[in-house]
Coordinates of all heavy atoms in Angstrom, one line a residue:
N1 N 0.3 -66.3 -51.7 CA -1.1 -66.6 -51.3 C -1.2 -68.0 -50.7 O -0.8 -68.9 -51.3 CB -2.1 -66.4 -52.4 CG -3.5 -66.5 -52.0 OD1 -4.0 -67.5 -51.6 ND2 -4.2 -65.3 -52.1
A2 N -1.8 -68.1 -49.5 CA -1.8 -69.3 -48.8 C -2.7 -70.4 -49.5 O -2.3 -71.6 -49.5 CB -2.4 -69.2 -47.4
T3 N -3.8 -69.9 -50.1 CA -4.6 -70.9 -50.9 C -3.8 -71.5 -52.0 O -3.9 -72.7 -52.3 CB -5.9 -70.2 -51.4 OG1 -5.5 -69.1 -52.3 CG2 -6.7 -69.7 -50.3
G4 N -3.0 -70.7 -52.7 CA -2.2 -71.2 -53.8 C -1.2 -72.2 -53.3 O -0.9 -73.3 -54.0
V5 N -0.5 -72.0 -52.2 CA 0.4 -72.9 -51.6 C -0.3 -74.3 -51.3 O 0.2 -75.3 -51.6 CB 1.1 -72.4 -50.3 CG1 1.9 -73.4 -49.7 CG2 1.9 -71.1 -50.7
I6 N -1.5 -74.1 -50.7 CA -2.2 -75.3 -50.2 C -2.7 -76.1 -51.4 O -2.5 -77.4 -51.5 CB -3.4 -75.0 -49.3 CG1 -2.8 -74.4 -48.0 CG2 -4.3 -76.1 -49.1 CD1 -3.9 -73.8 -47.1
F7 N -3.3 -75.5 -52.4 CA -3.8 -76.1 -53.6 C -2.6 -76.7 -54.4 O -2.8 -77.7 -55.2 CB -4.6 -75.2 -54.5 CG -6.0 -74.9 -53.9 CD1 -6.5 -73.6 -54.0 CD2 -6.7 -75.9 -53.3 CE1 -7.8 -73.4 -53.5 CE2 -8.0 -75.7 -52.8 CZ -8.5 -74.4 -52.9
G8 N -1.5 -76.1 -54.4 CA -0.3 -76.5 -55.2 C 0.5 -77.6 -54.6 O 1.4 -78.2 -55.2
R9 N 0.2 -78.0 -53.3 CA 1.0 -79.1 -52.7 C 0.9 -80.4 -53.4 O -0.2 -80.8 -53.8 CB 0.6 -79.2 -51.2 CG 1.4 -80.2 -50.5 CD 0.6 -81.0 -49.4 NE -0.5 -81.8 -50.0 CZ -0.3 -83.0 -50.6 NH1 0.9 -83.5 -50.7 NH2 -1.4 -83.6 -51.1
R10 N 2.0 -81.0 -53.6 CA 2.0 -82.3 -54.3 C 3.1 -83.2 -53.6 O 4.0 -82.7 -53.0 CB 2.4 -82.3 -55.8 CG 1.4 -81.4 -56.6 CD 0.1 -82.2 -56.8 NE -0.7 -81.5 -57.8 CZ -1.6 -80.5 -57.4 NH1 -1.7 -80.2 -56.2 NH2 -2.3 -79.9 -58.4
S11 N 2.9 -84.5 -53.6 CA 3.9 -85.4 -53.2 C 4.9 -85.7 -54.3 O 4.5 -86.1 -55.4 CB 3.3 -86.7 -52.7 OG 2.5 -86.5 -51.6
A12 N 6.2 -85.5 -54.1 CA 7.2 -85.7 -55.1 C 7.3 -87.2 -55.4 O 7.3 -88.0 -54.5 CB 8.5 -85.2 -54.7
Q13 N 7.4 -87.6 -56.7 CA 7.5 -88.9 -57.1 C 9.0 -89.3 -57.4 O 9.4 -90.4 -57.4 CB 6.6 -89.3 -58.3 CG 5.2 -89.0 -58.1 CD 4.6 -89.8 -56.9 OE1 4.8 -91.0 -56.8 NE2 3.9 -89.1 -56.0
A14 N 9.7 -88.2 -57.7 CA 11.2 -88.4 -58.0 C 11.8 -87.1 -57.8 O 11.2 -86.0 -57.9 CB 11.4 -88.9 -59.5
F15 N 13.1 -87.1 -57.6 CA 13.9 -85.9 -57.3 C 15.1 -85.7 -58.2 O 15.6 -86.7 -58.7 CB 14.4 -85.9 -55.9 CG 13.4 -85.8 -54.8 CD1 13.0 -86.9 -54.0 CD2 12.8 -84.6 -54.5 CE1 12.1 -86.8 -53.0 CE2 11.8 -84.4 -53.5 CZ 11.5 -85.5 -52.8
D16 N 15.5 -84.5 -58.5 CA 16.7 -84.1 -59.2 C 17.9 -84.4 -58.3 O 18.1 -83.7 -57.3 CB 16.6 -82.7 -59.6 CG 17.9 -82.2 -60.4 OD1 18.8 -83.0 -60.5 OD2 17.9 -81.1 -60.9
R17 N 18.6 -85.5 -58.6 CA 19.7 -85.9 -57.7 C 20.9 -84.9 -57.7 O 21.8 -85.1 -56.9 CB 20.2 -87.3 -58.1 CG 20.8 -87.4 -59.4 CD 21.4 -88.8 -59.7 NE 20.4 -89.8 -59.6 CZ 19.8 -90.4 -60.7 NH1 20.1 -89.9 -61.9 NH2 18.9 -91.3 -60.5
K18 N 20.9 -83.9 -58.6 CA 22.0 -83.0 -58.6 C 21.6 -81.7 -57.9 O 22.5 -80.8 -57.6 CB 22.4 -82.6 -60.0 CG 23.0 -83.8 -60.8 CD 23.3 -83.5 -62.2 CE 23.9 -84.7 -63.0 NZ 24.2 -84.3 -64.4
A19 N 20.4 -81.5 -57.5 CA 19.9 -80.2 -56.9 C 20.4 -80.1 -55.5 O 20.6 -81.1 -54.8 CB 18.4 -80.2 -56.9
R20 N 20.6 -78.9 -55.1 CA 21.1 -78.6 -53.7 C 20.1 -77.6 -53.0 O 19.4 -76.9 -53.7 CB 22.5 -78.0 -53.8 CG 23.6 -78.9 -54.4 CD 25.0 -78.3 -54.3 NE 25.4 -78.2 -52.9 CZ 25.9 -79.2 -52.2 NH1 26.1 -80.4 -52.9 NH2 26.3 -79.1 -51.0
M21 N 20.2 -77.6 -51.7 CA 19.4 -76.7 -50.9 C 20.3 -75.8 -50.1 O 21.4 -76.2 -49.6 CB 18.5 -77.5 -49.9 CG 17.7 -76.6 -49.0 SD 16.7 -77.6 -47.8 CE 15.5 -78.3 -48.9
G22 N 20.0 -74.5 -50.0 CA 20.8 -73.6 -49.2 C 20.6 -73.8 -47.7 O 19.5 -74.3 -47.3
S23 N 21.6 -73.5 -46.9 CA 21.4 -73.7 -45.5 C 20.3 -72.9 -44.9 O 19.6 -73.3 -43.9 CB 22.7 -73.5 -44.8 OG 23.2 -72.1 -45.0
G24 N 20.1 -71.7 -45.5 CA 19.0 -70.8 -45.0 C 17.7 -71.5 -45.1 O 16.8 -71.4 -44.2

């Protein structure tokens, strides 16, 4: 739901330095 995405947006203050992202 678009409203949930919009209301849930936050600015990250810190990241998990071990996490990875898929190329897709």
Side-chain angles (χ1 to χ4, degrees):
N1 186 290
T3 60
V5 173
I6 292 170
F7 285 140
R9 184 213 62 81
R10 299 287 186 270
S11 295
Q13 303 301 310
F15 291 106
D16 180 352
R17 62 172 64 96
K18 296 180 181 179
R20 302 187 64 84
M21 177 182 289
S23 60

